[in-house]
Amino acid sequence: MVLVLALGDLHIPHRAADLPPKFKSMLVPGKIQHIICTGNLCIKEVQDYLKTLCPDLHITRGEYDEETRYPETKTLTIGQFKLGLCHGHQVIPWGDLDSLAMLQRQLDVDILVTGHTHQFTAYKHEGGVVINPGSATGAYSSITYDVNPSFVLMDIDGLRVVVYVYELIDGEVKVDKIDFKKTTATTHSAH
Amino acid sequence: MSREIVEEESPSLTRVVSPENRSLGALRSVRWRVSLSILPPSPSVDDLRRETADSRRRYAGLRRRLLVDPHVPKDGGSNSPDLVMDNPLSQNPDSTWGRFFRNAELEKMVDKDLSRLYPEHGSYFQALGCQGMLRRILLLWCLRHPECGYRQGMHEVLAPLLYVLHVDVERLSEVRKIHKDHFIDKFDGLSFEENDVAYNFDFKKFLDSMEDEVGSQGNSKKVRSLDELDPEIQTIKLLTDAYGVEGELGVVLSEKFMEHDAYCMFEALMSGARGSVAMADFFAPFPAAESYSGLPPVIEASTALYHLLSIVDSSLHSHLVELGVEPQYFALRWLRVLFGREFSLNDLLVVWDEILTADNSKLDKVSGNEEISGFKILDSHRGALIVAMAVSMILYVRSSLLATENATTCLQRLLNFPENINLKKLIAKAKSLQVLALDSKISSSLSTFDVAYSRSKSAVSGRNLSSGPISPNTPLSVVADSYWEEKWRVLHKAEEPRQVDSLDKLAPSGKRRWSEKVRLVLSRTESDPSAARAGKYKKGHRSSVRRSLLEDLSQQLGLEEDTEAGDCFDVSNIEDRHSVEGQVEGQDDTSIASICTAEERCDSGSGASVSEESSSIFSDPASSGSITNDHENDTEKSSVASNLSSDGNDDRHQSDLEDSPLPVSSPPEDALLSYSEENESSGKMVSASKESRHLSGRFQWLLKFGWNNVSQEASDKGVSNETAKSANRDSKNNAADSSTAAGASRPTSQRDVVDQNVMGSLKNLGQSMLEHIQVIESVFQQDRVQVGSLDNLSKNNIVGKGQVTAMTALKELRKISNLLSET
């Protein structure tokens, strides 16, 4: 019963002032065990805020991040799942599933989390899941102006992960759920 | 087979609870379960099994309901759960996730304690399985009782219960090993495995095995029939037969259902199983609803402990009190965990054997009219044994306690109870003390309690008690009502010839007096209570309350004159009244009347006087309510007390303090009555009389702390009662009594004298009494003057007489106060 929060592309303070209040009210410290952030926070204050929600924070570098020392990609293991994190502007075409799948194979992860497109997507692909949590603040992107604030919460429980998607549509929080079951337990890869 | 066995077993099982019962003797868990009323004390194994099964079913249901797994969809199949509500981040308190997180919080708290449980027996208690069981049990109990929550120490109450079950299950497996034959299913003389391989009923094999058995019949060790087994083994067999009643669920000693059984035992122990002692009370930080003393139950129990100690060994008790060692410093731990931390586990099991065998049902206190005992914990055998056990433990280390002059050392000794102790001796002593503790005189006498408590609580501010709801069931001293009646009669004989129509209420007809009093009160309402009395002025609003109450009363009485009930009502007394009211209806009437009169007459005047009045009122032991006269007496007294703004109270106090009926009240009452500006104390006095039945302890508290609130309640009640009663009573007496305040006061004083409450006397009370006596005397002087101006000659006469009586009473009061001051 591990709760992992995945979000990114906040673009604070350049493109957005803050998280939507309804999201902020939901994010209370104590419930979430890990936070993975795709990038583009952009300033340190946002990192500090996320740290208050959960001490275990993982961030990858987005192109507008002012902190230059975040890694480009990151992998971590939570429970039986391997997670991969990358901002996504490096993977072209942006948001393309096949390219992202290449990255997933390269990182050898079950769940790949990327951003940059500011659109929520979740694909089940080749025994793995590719998730894009969208933009948590609803900041505009170079692709589109029409962005709904969204983020993702993953509930990892043994071999099963439940992905809750929180979207702010017309001022209301909408929640959706995706189930994903892993077929085999994680084994330490030979290579 | 089982039926016959059962019947044969019955005789041996008939006395399941007695320790001498050999068949269940070794099965502690079953014995405890019977003591805790989970299992019926019935000899039949079937009943035991049925109850076991039921209790387990209850627990299983509870677990299913309360243990939340948010992954499992609610309703087992709602296809589209409302995700907005049911997501993990939902702020909705009803969502399954919300409940899940709350449970997780609770579990964290419980875990903090569990990880430190019995490290010396860690092999059992720190095992994951056991910890998991303990955690679940505690979690479920706390969810079931959200008002208690989880408190540190509950885990230590639970741990021995689980241990006992574990021990029994181990015993069972031992027995199984030894008597394999009886515990294995054998059909056709062959065990299951052999049969399954090829069920062609192999006659040959069968015959062979039969021969084997026949051949071994000679072997005396092989016991074939159940009858030849030890009765204990027989019991075990029956209790654990998987084919018995209720099948597997009814197997009384079962490892699978240890958690269920432990939960049931824990629940029974904590809730007291409708008995008197409920462990959960010890964890409650607030006083119980019907607490007499307004203390948290554990503090009350600690005080009971000291109370018993003071009776048994007063030197040790005073030594401890001098050092400032309050009972709850060590008793809190002792009581909350039922001595779990003072003894080793095996010793503890022996101690708990004793405690649990003691009956927990509430005892009927047969002590006159007292309905309530002083200490709730002493209301049952079990409670008394617990207290006795604690005292016996203190006595065990008596020498080392007496040897030290340092409070810290004392506490250290008490908190680190010696390791190698003669447990048998300790328990035997506890049992003898238990008898003492149950003695009604002790348990219901709060005098020492008050003394002890007040000493220890001298610093407590009155605020604490000021507005606390005073339960009407405060226990009073155990002085027989007849005693007070006697006194009252003696006093009243002097007043017999008084005219009824005069305000003199000395006449035995309580009603008349009562009504007279009321009239008096009413008539007095016009007169502004003089502020002559020293003391604090009661709040105006309280006066208005009283006023309205009196107005009601007057209405009922059909009197028109009174419109404003005494201006200055010391509402403080009302509170007391209220509590007193609860006691006896009849009394209330009379007392109310007197209260009214007294109240009206009294200035709201000095709060001190009021408080004292109230205290005195309270202290006045209410004579048996059944007797109207007594009532009147009480009321008279109370009214007198109230009348004497400051003096009467003192007198009253004195009398109470001395635990002897003092005719003191009469003089003060007289004085009061003669006072036109006397305080409403009469009202209070009435209530006081009622209240005298109530807690002397309360009285003490009132004394110590602000009277105001208390009296307020009391007076309210008193007034209301009076109102009710007056309506019934004679409303005809519209004599001119009203004019003579003295008359009213006199009767009341006389009456008051009769019922004095037996309350512990306090030095300060003595001193205040002295002061009051002085005031009374001065008042008397005034009264004389006033009386003289009355029109009614007869009244004057009466007044004169009353004054004389009052003076004598005052003198007595003075003596008493001197005595008190010297104590």
Side-chain angles (χ1 to χ4, degrees):
Chain A
M1 182 76 66
V2 181
L3 291 179
V4 183
L5 176 70
L7 75 169
D9 289 319
L10 296 99
H11 287 281
I12 296 170
H14 307 123
R15 303 186 193 175
D18 200 0
L19 285 166
K22 293 209 172 164
F23 280 1
K24 264 201 141 153
S25 69
M26 283 203 292
L27 296 174
V28 293
K31 289 190 182 172
I32 300 166
Q33 276 84 49
H34 307 270
I35 298 187
I36 53 180
C37 187
T38 54
N40 272 348
L41 293 177
C42 306
I43 46 178
K44 184 141 192 315
E45 278 78 357
V46 183
Q47 182 194 1
D48 294 339
Y49 165 71
L50 291 177
K51 264 269 176 176
T52 67
L53 294 182
C54 163
D56 192 29
L57 179 60
H58 306 271
I59 311 180
T60 50
R61 177 129 203 269
E63 74 268 40
Y64 287 99
D65 267 316
E66 299 194 357
E67 169 68 54
T68 55
R69 281 171 305 170
Y70 297 139
E72 293 282 323
T73 62
K74 210 162 193 194
T75 54
L76 55 154
T77 308
I78 295 175
Q80 297 289 332
F81 285 90
K82 285 193 283 197
L83 285 89
L85 187 63
C86 176
H87 178 246
H89 67 276
Q90 307 94 330
V91 179
I92 42 175
W94 294 335
D96 180 52
L97 176 59
D98 291 324
S99 316
L100 289 172
M102 273 203 295
L103 178 62
Q104 186 182 20
R105 283 190 293 274
Q106 192 176 7
L107 296 174
D108 188 24
V109 291
D110 303 308
I111 303 172
L112 178 67
V113 181
T114 57
H116 186 61
T117 60
H118 296 211
Q119 294 289 330
F120 161 73
T121 56
Y123 302 111
K124 280 192 203 172
H125 182 79
E126 290 176 6
V129 183
V130 177
I131 298 177
N132 186 329
S135 164
T137 53
Y140 60 87
S141 81
S142 35
I143 311 171
T144 171
Y145 276 110
D146 182 19
V147 177
N148 284 324
S150 64
F151 67 88
V152 157
L153 182 75
M154 290 185 280
D155 177 13
I156 298 178
D157 194 18
L159 283 176
R160 181 171 161 240
V161 62
V162 180
V163 178
Y164 293 91
V165 180
Y166 296 79
E167 270 186 292
L168 193 70
I169 300 174
D170 296 331
E172 285 302 318
V173 178
K174 300 272 190 290
V175 187
D176 203 357
K177 182 164 102 159
I178 301 166
D179 254 307
F180 171 65
K181 244 197 162 68
K182 198 166 124 158
T183 44
T184 55
T186 303
T187 52
H188 293 289
S189 52
H191 50 289
Chain B
M1 161 184 100
S2 57
R3 280 220 181 31
E4 303 131 311
I5 304 295
V6 169
E7 268 133 57
E8 283 170 18
E9 287 282 330
S10 304
S12 59
L13 284 175
T14 36
R15 291 161 62 231
V16 278
V17 188
S18 73
E20 297 92 48
N21 184 344
R22 282 186 58 244
S23 17
L24 279 188
L27 297 178
R28 218 180 227 138
S29 73
V30 186
R31 262 193 297 136
W32 282 16
R33 273 184 273 174
V34 175
S35 314
L36 289 168
S37 316
I38 302 172
L39 295 182
S42 105
S44 131
V45 172
D46 287 356
D47 282 347
L48 288 176
R49 292 177 66 115
R50 255 182 235 114
E51 273 307 312
T52 316
D54 280 338
S55 64
R56 286 170 182 171
R57 275 195 203 101
R58 279 198 295 273
Y59 175 69
L62 186 72
R63 197 162 78 172
R64 256 181 237 133
R65 257 192 309 131
L66 291 181
L67 275 190
V68 179
D69 183 3
H71 293 295
V72 177
K74 274 197 294 194
D75 319 308
S78 63
N79 290 329
S80 48
D82 181 13
L83 276 176
V84 176
M85 201 189 74
D86 249 346
N87 62 79
L89 295 179
S90 160
Q91 302 295 314
N92 190 327
D94 287 336
S95 72
T96 47
W97 281 97
R99 283 183 21 221
F100 170 77
F101 281 119
R102 276 197 296 278
N103 291 359
E105 287 284 329
L106 206 51
E107 275 191 30
K108 245 189 270 180
M109 250 204 303
V110 171
D111 271 340
K112 259 193 276 180
D113 279 342
L114 282 181
S115 55
R116 295 177 285 165
L117 175 68
Y118 277 123
E120 66 270 19
H121 299 278
S123 57
Y124 176 66
F125 286 105
Q126 296 294 326
L128 275 180
C130 178
Q131 291 257 310
M133 273 199 282
L134 293 169
R135 189 182 305 125
R136 270 194 300 275
I137 294 172
L138 288 168
L139 178 69
L140 287 174
W141 190 88
C142 294
L143 288 175
R144 208 51 172 39
H145 298 261
E147 71 278 1
C148 304
Y150 176 73
R151 298 258 178 279
Q152 188 181 33
M154 289 182 177
H155 66 301
E156 299 214 11
V157 176
L158 172 60
L161 300 173
L162 195 61
Y163 184 71
V164 151
L165 285 163
H166 173 76
V167 162
D168 276 353
V169 167
E170 286 195 343
R171 175 104 181 82
L172 172 66
S173 49
E174 275 170 28
V175 167
R176 276 207 167 137
K177 261 188 244 149
I178 300 173
H179 300 272
K180 259 197 297 244
D181 297 341
H182 297 280
F183 289 92
I184 298 179
D185 291 326
K186 264 195 172 181
F187 297 105
D188 309 327
L190 301 170
S191 69
F192 265 133
E193 295 79 39
E194 293 171 12
N195 248 347
D196 282 345
V197 168
Y199 194 72
N200 310 320
F201 186 60
D202 194 346
F203 280 101
K204 196 153 181 305
K205 207 164 180 193
F206 177 59
L207 290 170
D208 282 346
S209 68
M210 284 294 286
E211 277 169 26
D212 284 343
E213 287 171 6
V214 168
S216 60
Q217 286 298 348
N219 188 349
S220 53
K221 268 193 249 151
K222 202 131 192 198
V223 184
R224 296 305 287 162
S225 98
L226 206 55
D227 303 343
E228 294 162 25
L229 281 177
D230 228 3
E232 186 195 330
I233 312 293
Q234 289 177 10
T235 322
I236 295 185
K237 165 78 173 122
L238 284 170
L239 288 175
T240 58
D241 184 11
Y243 298 103
V245 175
E246 299 274 9
E248 278 222 17
L249 199 62
V251 172
V252 179
L253 301 171
S254 155
E255 179 156 10
K256 203 154 82 164
F257 298 110
M258 247 164 58
E259 191 177 330
H260 303 61
D261 295 335
Y263 178 83
C264 295
M265 289 169 77
F266 182 63
E267 161 97 47
L269 191 57
M270 291 295 270
S271 68
R274 291 177 307 280
S276 174
V277 175
M279 291 298 300
D281 284 345
F282 288 152
F283 290 96
F286 306 113
E290 343 81 39
S291 153
Y292 316 131
S293 52
L295 291 172
V298 68
I299 310 278
E300 198 185 314
S302 328
T303 330
L305 202 157
Y306 255 24
H307 177 75
L308 185 61
L309 180 66
S310 67
I311 293 168
V312 173
D313 187 347
S314 58
S315 55
L316 179 61
H317 174 251
S318 41
H319 174 77
L320 285 173
V321 170
E322 268 164 39
L323 289 187
V325 177
E326 298 223 10
Q328 51 265 27
Y329 293 159
F330 56 89
L332 196 85
R333 192 173 81 175
W334 286 10
L335 293 172
R336 275 196 175 173
V337 199
L338 266 190
F339 314 110
R341 288 195 151 258
E342 321 307 319
F343 299 111
S344 69
L345 186 55
N346 293 316
D347 284 347
L348 180 70
L349 295 182
V350 177
V351 172
W352 278 30
D353 270 344
E354 290 303 325
I355 293 181
L356 290 179
T357 321
D359 183 37
N360 199 18
S361 50
K362 287 201 171 68
L363 297 172
D364 294 321
K365 293 287 178 190
V366 199
S367 49
N369 281 353
E370 304 344 297
E371 327 163 321
I372 316 111
S373 98
F375 301 106
K376 186 163 178 285
I377 189 174
L378 293 176
D379 259 348
S380 76
H381 285 289
R382 190 177 292 175
L385 182 58
I386 293 176
V387 172
M389 187 77 209
V391 175
S392 134
M393 283 164 70
I394 300 179
L395 291 175
Y396 195 86
V397 289
R398 185 175 193 274
S399 42
S400 40
L401 290 179
L402 280 176
T404 170
E405 282 306 316
N406 189 343
T408 322
T409 329
C410 270
L411 278 174
Q412 271 176 357
R413 175 76 278 183
L414 288 167
L415 286 173
N416 300 320
F417 209 68
E419 288 278 319
N420 304 320
I421 51 174
N422 187 342
L423 196 64
K424 280 206 171 70
K425 219 169 73 171
L426 201 66
I427 295 182
K429 180 106 184 111
K431 284 200 168 153
S432 66
L433 289 177
Q434 173 194 22
V435 176
L436 185 63
L438 282 174
D439 184 5
S440 66
K441 270 208 181 300
I442 307 253
S443 54
S444 41
S445 156
L446 280 183
S447 46
T448 29
F449 161 67
D450 295 328
V451 173
Y453 197 75
S454 41
R455 270 194 226 143
S456 54
K457 287 259 175 189
S458 48
V460 180
S461 79
R463 287 249 158 258
N464 298 349
L465 292 181
S466 50
S467 39
I470 298 188
S471 82
N473 293 330
T474 53
L476 292 177
S477 66
V478 201
V479 180
D481 289 334
S482 55
Y483 179 55
W484 297 116
E485 281 174 43
E486 285 300 318
K487 293 268 167 196
W488 180 81
R489 290 220 183 85
V490 164
L491 286 164
H492 274 274
K493 278 204 186 110
E495 317 236 72
E496 286 290 316
R498 301 265 161 102
Q499 295 300 318
V500 172
D501 54 0
S502 72
L503 275 181
D504 179 8
K505 298 207 175 187
L506 295 177
S509 65
K511 295 187 186 169
R512 272 194 243 125
R513 259 178 296 212
W514 187 68
S515 58
E516 281 172 7
K517 274 203 189 159
V518 174
R519 298 246 177 69
L520 187 64
V521 175
L522 294 176
S523 60
R524 291 197 155 264
T525 52
E526 291 111 24
S527 64
D528 242 349
S530 66
R533 202 130 328 132
K536 308 126 199 175
Y537 196 82
K538 294 295 179 192
K539 290 166 200 151
H541 71 275
R542 283 202 236 114
S543 310
S544 53
V545 171
R546 275 213 162 186
R547 218 168 280 131
S548 53
L549 286 169
L550 279 176
E551 282 170 10
D552 290 343
L553 176 58
S554 59
Q555 276 171 9
Q556 299 207 8
L557 287 176
L559 300 170
E560 280 113 28
E561 42 216 276
D562 178 28
T563 43
E564 347 158 352
D567 304 12
C568 48
F569 286 132
D570 231 341
V571 190
S572 52
N573 287 327
I574 294 181
E575 266 192 339
D576 296 338
R577 307 284 161 72
H578 278 289
S579 47
V580 176
E581 275 197 5
Q583 285 246 325
V584 186
E585 286 263 315
Q587 282 182 349
D588 290 349
D589 289 346
T590 49
S591 44
I592 297 171
S594 50
I595 294 176
C596 290
T597 49
E599 289 180 349
E600 307 238 357
R601 275 171 286 131
C602 297
D603 292 38
S604 42
S606 52
S609 57
V610 177
S611 53
E612 298 202 323
E613 288 174 357
S614 34
S615 54
S616 55
I617 292 173
F618 294 120
S619 53
D620 283 345
S623 11
S624 52
S626 49
I627 302 178
T628 314
N629 290 342
D630 289 341
H631 284 295
E632 293 193 3
N633 216 1
D634 294 345
T635 56
E636 299 270 38
K637 287 198 191 160
S638 49
S639 51
V640 172
S642 51
N643 286 336
L644 299 174
S645 45
S646 42
D647 316 326
N649 292 335
D650 290 339
D651 295 343
R652 211 78 2 96
H653 289 315
Q654 296 293 18
S655 48
D656 294 337
L657 296 175
E658 303 203 333
D659 294 354
S660 60
L662 297 173
V664 175
S665 50
S666 32
E669 287 185 357
D670 289 347
L672 279 177
L673 288 170
S674 51
Y675 249 67
S676 50
E677 313 112 50
E678 288 308 320
N679 296 341
E680 64 287 11
S681 47
S682 56
K684 298 182 202 141
M685 302 217 287
V686 178
S687 56
S689 51
K690 290 184 242 175
E691 294 171 331
S692 57
R693 295 177 162 261
H694 300 304
L695 288 179
S696 51
R698 173 147 312 174
F699 168 73
Q700 297 271 340
W701 286 17
L702 289 170
L703 288 178
K704 283 191 131 5
F705 313 109
W707 299 103
N708 298 344
N709 299 329
V710 171
S711 47
Q712 176 126 34
E713 277 183 24
S715 46
D716 286 335
K717 278 212 174 170
V719 177
S720 50
N721 275 347
E722 287 183 6
T723 316
K725 286 278 177 165
S726 58
N728 309 334
R729 305 297 171 111
D730 51 322
S731 42
K732 305 298 175 184
N733 286 347
N734 289 331
D737 7 332
S738 50
S739 49
T740 40
S745 52
R746 251 175 298 118
T748 44
S749 56
Q750 314 255 329
R751 299 215 186 87
D752 284 311
V753 173
V754 173
D755 29 72
Q756 295 300 331
N757 209 351
V758 184
M759 308 295 274
S761 53
L762 300 171
K763 268 187 209 169
N764 48 3
L765 281 175
Q767 278 152 19
S768 59
M769 248 186 77
L770 262 176
E771 291 165 13
H772 289 295
I773 291 171
Q774 283 159 12
V775 177
I776 295 170
E777 290 189 347
S778 62
V779 168
F780 249 63
Q781 303 308 318
Q782 284 183 351
D783 280 346
R784 290 234 177 79
V785 176
Q786 278 187 0
V787 168
S789 63
L790 287 174
D791 302 337
N792 192 339
L793 265 185
S794 59
K795 285 188 191 145
N796 285 345
N797 294 340
I798 295 165
V799 169
K801 280 193 218 164
Q803 282 182 345
V804 169
T805 341
M807 293 308 292
T808 41
L810 267 177
K811 287 201 192 99
E812 290 177 24
L813 275 177
R814 179 153 276 159
K815 284 186 213 149
I816 295 161
S817 56
N818 288 335
L819 278 172
L820 283 172
S821 317
E822 281 149 20
T823 53

